[in-house]
Every structure is written in C-alpha cells, then in structure tokens.
Amino acid sequence: MTTGEDTQGTEQRRKAIEHELKRLEESAMYSAQIQFEQTKQWRGVNLALGVPATLLAAISGTAALVNTSGRIAAGICALASAAFGAILTTVNASHRMNQAAAAANAYLEIQTAARQVREIDLPYWTIEEARNTLAELTARRDEQNKTAEVPNRRSYRKAQKNIQGGGQTYTVDEPESTRGE
C-alpha cells in the first residue's frame, strides 16, 4: 500500500468517525429533550395530585374542628385527600420527575462531549484515539438508555417540535448574517 492510499484510508475512517459522532450527538440531543419533556409532565402530575390532596386535607381538618355538623363533609374531604395521596404515592411522580431530569442532563453531557470531540479533538487525534473515544461515548449513551424511563409519545412530539423550533441551537452556530454581529 502506498502512502497516498494510507492517507486516503485514514481520512475515510476519520470521516466515518465524524459521521458517527454526529449521529451520537443527535441521538443524545433528542433523548435529552424527550427526558426534559418527561420531567415537565411528571412535575405537572405531581402538582395536579399533590395540591388537591393537601387542600382537601386542610379543608377536612378545618371542617371537622369548626363544627360537628360538618362531619360528613369533613369525612368526604378526608377520603378524597387520601385517594389523591394514594394515587400520588403509587404513581411516584416526584421520583419519576427527578429520574427524568437526571437522565436528560446525562444525555446533555454525552451530546456536549460528542460535539467537542468532533469539532475540537478529532482533526488532531490519531484514528485509534478517536475510535476509543467514540466507543466510550457510545457505551455511556447505551448505559443511559438502559436506565432512562421509556418516554411517551407526547414527550417525543413535544421534544421534536422544540428541537425543530431551534430549542437546541446556539447563537454562535447561526450564520453571522443573522446574528447581528
């Protein structure tokens, strides 16, 4: 093999690694955004169940203490509060919200690392260094995929809309003519 063929093969591999880093970056971007949408949904569920449970508990306690004729209303409010509390405990929205937020941030870390490797390091690394880093980032993403909760269709659609609307775009990445520099 001649030196020209070696250089061509190296550049082909470098280009292939660059493309795979772009795929990894895009995958992590979508996964992060989807998990952030899941976080918002679980926060909403937590509030939708937690606030009525608290208010109903307060109302039932007040009604029971204020006058004895409100025993039935107090009992109904207490039962409703207990039902909201039981659903909240079973659904475990607070834990799921925190889990989705942690997964989203982990995906953002992978996305950022892939972009930095592709933009900053790849042109200067040997093929072996680039390949090892790609393998490490892929393993991190795969491990995160195992632990992240499977998203629902609504989160996927909202994340896609957010990304397509520029929600993951940095000003520095925009053409200079649109930045106003």
Side-chain angles (χ1 to χ4, degrees):
M1 197 180 270
T2 66
T3 306
E5 290 173 355
D6 287 344
T7 303
Q8 185 180 7
T10 298
E11 285 311 308
Q12 285 177 340
R13 287 199 69 202
R14 188 175 308 283
K15 199 67 161 164
I17 290 169
E18 178 184 1
H19 285 286
E20 194 58 30
L21 284 165
K22 284 181 180 179
R23 289 182 194 99
L24 185 63
E25 185 180 344
E26 183 178 344
S27 171
M29 175 179 60
Y30 274 91
S31 295
Q33 203 61 48
I34 289 167
Q35 290 299 322
F36 279 129
E37 292 301 329
Q38 291 279 101
T39 300
K40 293 175 196 175
Q41 288 178 20
W42 286 119
R43 182 176 41 233
V45 168
N46 195 38
L47 289 172
L49 294 173
V51 170
T54 303
L55 290 175
L56 287 169
I59 291 168
S60 68
T62 303
L65 293 174
V66 169
N67 79 43
T68 56
S69 64
R71 288 190 333 239
I72 292 176
I76 291 170
C77 284
L79 288 172
S81 174
F84 277 111
I87 294 168
L88 190 59
T89 300
T90 302
V91 169
N92 204 359
S94 178
H95 173 72
R96 288 179 176 201
M97 176 184 69
N98 291 334
Q99 188 178 21
N105 285 315
Y107 283 121
L108 281 182
E109 289 173 11
I110 295 165
Q111 177 188 354
T112 299
R115 184 187 67 248
Q116 289 173 346
V117 166
R118 181 177 54 81
E119 293 280 334
I120 299 166
D121 300 322
L122 184 60
Y124 306 101
W125 279 354
T126 65
I127 293 300
E128 186 177 314
E129 289 171 317
R131 184 64 185 100
N132 288 340
T133 301
L134 175 60
E136 184 266 324
L137 287 171
T138 301
R140 280 175 56 190
R141 192 261 332 259
D142 292 347
E143 190 59 36
Q144 189 56 45
N145 284 345
K146 290 177 190 175
T147 60
E149 188 171 315
V150 176
N152 58 45
R153 180 55 92 185
R154 181 173 179 238
S155 292
Y156 177 81
R157 283 193 306 268
K158 288 188 85 163
Q160 192 172 33
K161 183 179 176 184
N162 187 22
I163 290 169
Q164 289 171 351
Q168 283 265 341
T169 305
Y170 294 97
T171 305
V172 73
D173 294 329
E174 295 174 4
E176 287 185 33
S177 62
T178 62
R179 280 193 262 164
E181 288 182 357

